[in-house]
Amino acid sequence: MLCRSHNPGVGAAVIDDIVGLVILTVVAGNEVTASGVAKITFVAFGFLIVTLVVGGFIVSHAVRLVSKLDLPGTSTILAVILAFGLAWLADKAGSAVIIGAFAAGLLLSGTSKAREVEHGITELGNFFVPLFFVSVGASVDIRVFNPLDPANHQTLLVGTLLIVAAIVGKFAAGYAAPWFKGKKSVIGAGMIPRGEVGLIFAQMGLSGGVFDAKLVGAVTLMVMVTTFVAPPLLRVLFPPKDPACVPPQADGIEELVTGE
């Protein structure tokens, strides 16, 4: 029996992130007009397309050269340089820096060093990711979650509406492709979590003056709830695993969770 290796949920999540990054660029640039949105959308997608087409040849050659060096960590250093370099180029092109870093990840994912890069970046993430969440947590006023204060009722209402829209909207999106014959409920459930990208959006909105502290709290509440809802829902929807189809354990990922 052959195991199916493709994952349409990951592809849908990638498209979702790209669209979200375009919206982030629009908000950060304060160009919420028809012409401004069209321009930023063209720049964002144009930058991604050009980077993936041109960068594909350059990165593949760079990875081959790095492979000849018998030095530990060279692939990770290459990934960091590429991420910062493309982030700088994206900013100079008039797009969000996160789009450049996102493009770097897409370029490296198709190379022979993808697993090694994943492992190395995960090790860096053990240090930097907690710092990111500390900065996000420090910007959230937990007093806005107090339901006994009438001043917080509007914030909690907005957070509740965001949670409903996030869960229902993403779950329904799993059924948007009629040609897909797989289990659409699994795709929809897998799209529900709003992770660090949603928190980045909130931070950009706060720094740009679009959000206030209460809206950041509402978005943070939505991110937390959707993150906790998805795993048990997927556990219910997923069929029993075929032992022959269970992939080997990925190096690096478990260290981010267990710290071992």
Side-chain angles (χ1 to χ4, degrees):
M1 179 179 178
L2 296 177
C3 300
R4 303 179 69 178
S5 59
H6 68 281
N7 192 335
V10 174
V14 169
I15 296 174
D16 173 68
D17 280 344
I18 293 175
V19 175
L21 293 174
V22 171
I23 297 174
L24 171 62
T25 308
V26 172
V27 173
N30 293 320
E31 297 189 41
V32 190
T33 63
S35 59
V37 172
K39 175 184 175 183
I40 291 176
T41 302
F42 176 79
V43 170
F45 278 93
F47 178 84
L48 272 175
I49 293 172
V50 172
T51 300
L52 295 179
V53 172
V54 178
F57 297 101
I58 299 175
V59 172
S60 61
H61 287 296
V63 169
R64 280 196 291 269
L65 289 175
V66 167
S67 300
K68 297 178 181 179
L69 300 176
D70 190 18
L71 295 173
T74 51
S75 297
T76 302
I77 294 174
L78 174 64
V80 172
I81 293 174
L82 182 63
F84 282 114
L86 289 181
W88 178 81
L89 285 176
D91 181 64
K92 292 300 180 181
S95 191
V97 294
I98 193 174
I99 291 183
F102 186 79
L106 292 178
L107 287 171
L108 291 168
S109 66
T111 66
S112 59
K113 292 291 184 177
R115 296 294 292 275
E116 185 176 332
V117 168
E118 179 184 341
H119 178 84
I121 294 300
T122 299
E123 292 295 322
L124 290 177
N126 289 334
F127 177 77
F128 288 107
V129 171
L131 295 181
F132 167 74
F133 283 105
V134 167
S135 65
V136 171
S139 66
V140 177
D141 184 1
I142 61 174
R143 291 175 296 181
V144 302
F145 299 140
N146 181 13
L148 300 180
D149 188 350
N152 298 331
H153 290 174
Q154 184 176 4
T155 301
L156 295 174
L157 175 61
V158 172
T160 302
L161 292 176
L162 287 174
I163 292 170
V164 173
I167 294 176
V168 175
K170 281 299 183 72
F171 191 81
Y175 294 83
W179 57 86
F180 176 64
K181 304 302 181 183
K183 197 168 184 179
K184 298 179 181 180
S185 58
V186 172
I187 302 300
M191 294 282 288
I192 287 176
R194 295 326 201 258
E196 68 284 350
V197 176
L199 295 175
I200 291 172
F201 286 5
Q203 289 297 303
M204 290 294 294
L206 181 63
S207 62
V210 180
F211 284 10
D212 58 16
K214 291 187 176 182
L215 280 177
V216 171
V219 172
T220 304
L221 178 63
M222 178 270 295
V223 169
M224 291 190 297
V225 172
T226 55
T227 300
F228 284 117
V229 163
L233 185 58
L234 286 171
R235 183 69 177 267
V236 172
L237 294 174
F238 262 123
K241 291 183 179 180
D242 182 351
C245 294
V246 176
Q249 192 172 17
D251 292 337
I253 293 298
E254 72 281 357
E255 297 172 3
L256 184 60
V257 179
T258 65
E260 296 179 357

